[in-house]
Amino acid sequence: MASRIKLLLVVFILTAIGGGIAAYKSVKLGLPISASDKPPEWMIEAKLTFIADGGKVRAELSIPSAAVDEGLSPEAGSVGYNYYVEKDQGEYTAVWTSEKQSENQALYYRVNFPERKKSGGEPLTHPGGGFPVPENPGFSGSMDDAAKRVIQRAKSVSADPDSLFVGLFREITAIQTSQEIGLLRARYEDESGRGALTVLGIDLLNMAGVPARIAYGVKLEEARGGQQPTRLVEYYDGAYWKVRDPDDPASTLDPSKIFVWHRGGDALFEVTGGDASQLSFTVTRDFIRPNELASLRNSPLLVSTIFGLPASERDVFRYVVLIPLGAFVVVVMRNLIGIATLGTFMPVLLALALLEMNLESGLIMFTVIVAAGLWFRFLLSRLNMLVVPRVAACVVIVTLLMMILSVVSYRLGMLDGLRITLFPMIILAWTIERMSLIWEEEGKRSALMQVGGSLLVAVIAFAFMSIRQVKYLAFYFPELLLVLLALIILIGRYTGYRLSELFRFRDFKEV
């Protein structure tokens, strides 16, 4: 069989498999082809991890009452555990129990919901009637005197518990603050660690006669990896319990930015029979409804099995599936257009980094690091070092440059500079090394052309991977990557003129 026929046969088989599975998912499973057919939905997944002691295990996780009362499609995941939901005075707790468990354990609880007009922190009456009693924080000595002076100052400019809350937390979180707050801060930071200022504010509110307690929320921000629970404050204003963010005390909670997971002051989670317990949340924005996602999870298609993974692990694939798209752009730009780049992966990884930051800021930071690194690389070349130590030295230099640029950006108030760590450090170091070698062997024009071409291809790949429909198809129809593979194979056999060469040699055609 001729190689061309083999090639066409492979391309046909790949296209048929990929296209066929995508058609099956759309027609039989009802998964929409277009990302704009239905509104996106938020999914929050709580992941409780711990190391079991080898005996009986009981794990409890407070869950939002809206998950049960409003039916936010709650789901729980566990293997080898008995699971149920316990209700106590309007509060819900997910409970997992097991007779015997050992080593690392992970329990999951997730909710799905569309855009809501409620954050979960709306005013609530005190359960059981009556009035709550503020808890005495137990200050003594100089701490008691300092706390009383802070409360007195805040009360002198307050008219009600709401304004007292704002006044206290503004003074606590201010950069330039009083000696009393400095003394209280030092004590709480030693004892409470993370979230010390929130605990201090709660104690001061209770001392001032305003019952207050801790609450927890989840920020509705898609990000890589898990996020820790956001500490909030719930206080009683004489009629209702209210929840506010101590970092923004003057504002009520915005339901488009935060979801209140737990209120009531009790522990957020508790594990018996295990150590090193931790809770993290993963927030994603699904473009399909939970019932459609369940259809995908239950389908026998192998490529759909990633939807059976927990959200924290599945979320990684949102970026992984974009890498072949970036590689396809590089193939098209190099083999059909004729733009030279520094390798295949550098433009793709640079495009992935640009997805997480402002495009202009990212390009400026990349240019500054490469230019400075190249200058240091020329200094290293005078030392006649071997290749491996020289590349290792480049890695050290790039690391130091990234730290310096982050600090300088922060001091100048340019917060985009703090995201410089998203750049792949090894790729930056290798780019500097490759560029310096090309500079020495082929001249600076060739080096600048190749790094400029890499930047151009990275920007085009970034634009392609940013298209909402493209991201949707790549994640929910990953089998279409087989069609992409077929296209890459076809382009890989193309040996004709590139577009840039047709323009470059246009004078020969006229002769």
Side-chain angles (χ1 to χ4, degrees):
M1 187 181 293
S3 61
R4 175 172 292 184
I5 296 177
K6 290 180 181 177
L7 172 72
L8 294 177
L9 185 60
V10 170
V11 169
F12 174 77
I13 292 173
L14 291 174
T15 306
I17 294 175
I21 294 175
Y24 173 82
K25 289 167 67 173
S26 177
V27 176
K28 292 294 183 181
L29 302 181
L31 192 62
I33 290 290
S34 173
S36 58
D37 283 347
K38 294 177 180 176
E41 294 200 355
W42 288 105
M43 191 200 70
I44 302 177
E45 180 182 88
K47 180 181 180 181
L48 179 59
T49 59
F50 57 92
I51 302 174
D53 296 337
K56 294 182 178 179
V57 172
R58 179 185 174 91
E60 298 180 0
L61 171 66
S62 176
I63 58 178
S65 56
V68 180
D69 295 339
E70 300 179 22
L72 301 182
S73 304
E75 300 176 68
S78 60
V79 178
Y81 284 86
N82 178 38
Y83 165 77
Y84 60 94
V85 175
E86 197 171 78
K87 183 179 180 181
D88 181 22
Q89 296 184 350
E91 302 293 331
Y92 295 94
T93 304
V95 182
W96 292 267
T97 59
S98 180
E99 182 67 21
K100 185 178 182 180
Q101 292 290 343
S102 60
E103 300 183 346
N104 294 326
Q105 302 292 314
L107 306 173
Y108 301 91
Y109 186 89
R110 65 178 72 94
V111 293
N112 299 272
F113 54 88
E115 297 286 351
R116 301 175 79 238
K117 295 182 179 178
K118 295 180 179 179
S119 65
E122 289 70 29
L124 291 178
T125 56
H126 186 63
F131 296 94
V133 179
E135 296 181 2
N136 185 356
F139 291 131
S140 61
S142 59
M143 295 286 293
D144 187 61
D145 294 337
K148 286 179 178 175
R149 283 196 287 270
V150 171
I151 292 171
Q152 188 177 9
R153 281 201 300 270
K155 278 189 170 180
S156 65
V157 293
S158 304
D160 49 36
D162 294 331
S163 53
L164 179 63
F165 176 89
V166 175
L168 279 176
F169 275 98
R170 276 185 173 171
E171 183 165 357
I172 291 171
T173 56
I175 297 176
Q176 299 292 335
T177 189
S178 62
Q179 292 183 352
E180 293 87 357
I181 289 295
L183 175 65
L184 294 167
R185 273 184 178 182
R187 161 82 179 277
Y188 274 74
E189 285 172 354
D190 290 341
E191 294 182 356
S192 303
R194 180 175 170 271
L197 299 186
T198 303
V199 178
L200 170 60
I202 290 174
D203 285 347
L204 291 178
L205 282 171
N206 277 300
M207 190 173 178
V210 177
R213 57 200 185 191
I214 193 83
Y216 294 94
V218 182
K219 291 183 178 178
L220 298 179
E221 297 174 351
E222 286 188 285
R224 295 180 181 179
Q227 61 168 281
Q228 298 299 309
T230 300
R231 289 172 179 259
L232 305 172
V233 175
E234 187 174 18
Y235 65 96
Y236 191 74
D237 69 350
Y240 299 101
W241 284 101
K242 296 179 177 177
V243 181
R244 288 201 184 193
D245 186 350
D247 292 333
D248 188 13
S251 303
T252 57
L253 297 181
D254 185 349
S256 67
K257 295 180 179 178
I258 196 164
F259 178 81
V260 177
W261 186 273
H262 170 67
R263 55 192 298 184
D266 297 329
L268 181 58
F269 66 95
E270 187 173 357
V271 176
T272 305
D275 298 320
S277 55
Q278 290 186 338
L279 177 66
S280 62
F281 291 95
T282 300
V283 179
T284 63
R285 206 169 196 184
D286 279 322
F287 289 94
I288 61 176
R289 298 190 183 282
N291 58 338
E292 295 166 339
L293 197 61
S295 300
L296 275 179
R297 284 202 298 266
N298 298 331
S299 73
L301 301 174
L302 181 63
V303 290
S304 298
T305 53
I306 62 170
F307 296 101
L309 297 174
S312 53
E313 281 74 18
R314 175 160 50 93
D315 210 40
V316 177
F317 286 95
R318 291 181 185 273
Y319 295 92
V320 172
V321 295
L322 295 179
I323 293 176
L325 302 178
F328 175 73
V329 171
V330 174
V331 170
V332 171
M333 300 305 291
R334 287 187 60 148
N335 290 55
L336 298 184
I337 307 299
I339 296 178
T341 63
L342 289 171
T344 304
F345 297 110
M346 181 266 195
V348 178
L349 296 177
L350 181 58
L352 275 178
L354 293 175
L355 285 174
E356 296 295 318
M357 62 179 71
N358 180 274
L359 177 62
E360 292 80 9
S361 302
L363 293 178
I364 291 173
M365 287 188 288
F366 176 83
T367 305
V368 169
I369 288 181
V370 170
L374 195 61
W375 183 73
F376 281 107
R377 168 63 181 79
F378 284 136
L379 294 180
L380 290 176
S381 65
R382 300 178 182 177
L383 302 179
N384 295 325
M385 299 170 64
L386 297 177
V387 174
V388 174
R390 197 171 61 214
V391 173
C394 278
V395 172
V396 175
I397 291 170
V398 167
T399 305
L400 293 174
L401 288 173
M402 292 172 77
M403 293 173 64
I404 293 172
L405 202 54
S406 296
V407 173
V408 172
S409 301
Y410 178 74
R411 293 292 177 87
L412 295 177
M414 301 165 63
L415 299 183
D416 282 345
L418 299 177
R419 304 182 73 83
I420 197 171
T421 53
L422 294 173
F423 281 123
M425 187 190 307
I426 303 300
I427 293 295
L428 283 175
W430 191 244
T431 299
I432 293 169
E433 175 66 17
R434 286 280 303 276
M435 191 176 174
S436 65
L437 290 176
I438 296 172
W439 192 299
E440 292 171 354
E441 296 172 359
E442 302 176 18
K444 64 180 180 182
R445 184 176 183 278
S446 179
L448 293 175
M449 288 288 289
Q450 290 196 32
V451 76
S454 299
L455 274 178
L456 176 62
V457 173
V459 172
I460 294 173
F462 159 79
F464 183 59
M465 293 189 291
S466 301
I467 299 174
R468 188 166 177 261
Q469 180 65 33
V470 170
K471 291 194 287 188
Y472 173 81
L473 290 175
F475 186 66
Y476 292 101
F477 293 88
E479 59 279 352
L480 290 179
L481 291 179
L482 294 176
V483 180
L484 193 73
L485 175 60
L487 289 174
I488 291 175
I489 291 174
L490 278 178
I491 296 174
R493 287 292 297 269
Y494 176 72
T495 56
Y497 286 106
R498 299 163 181 164
L499 187 61
S500 61
E501 291 171 337
L502 292 176
F503 178 76
R504 182 181 174 187
F505 301 120
R506 63 187 184 282
D507 293 338
F508 289 93
K509 186 179 179 181
E510 295 174 357
V511 173

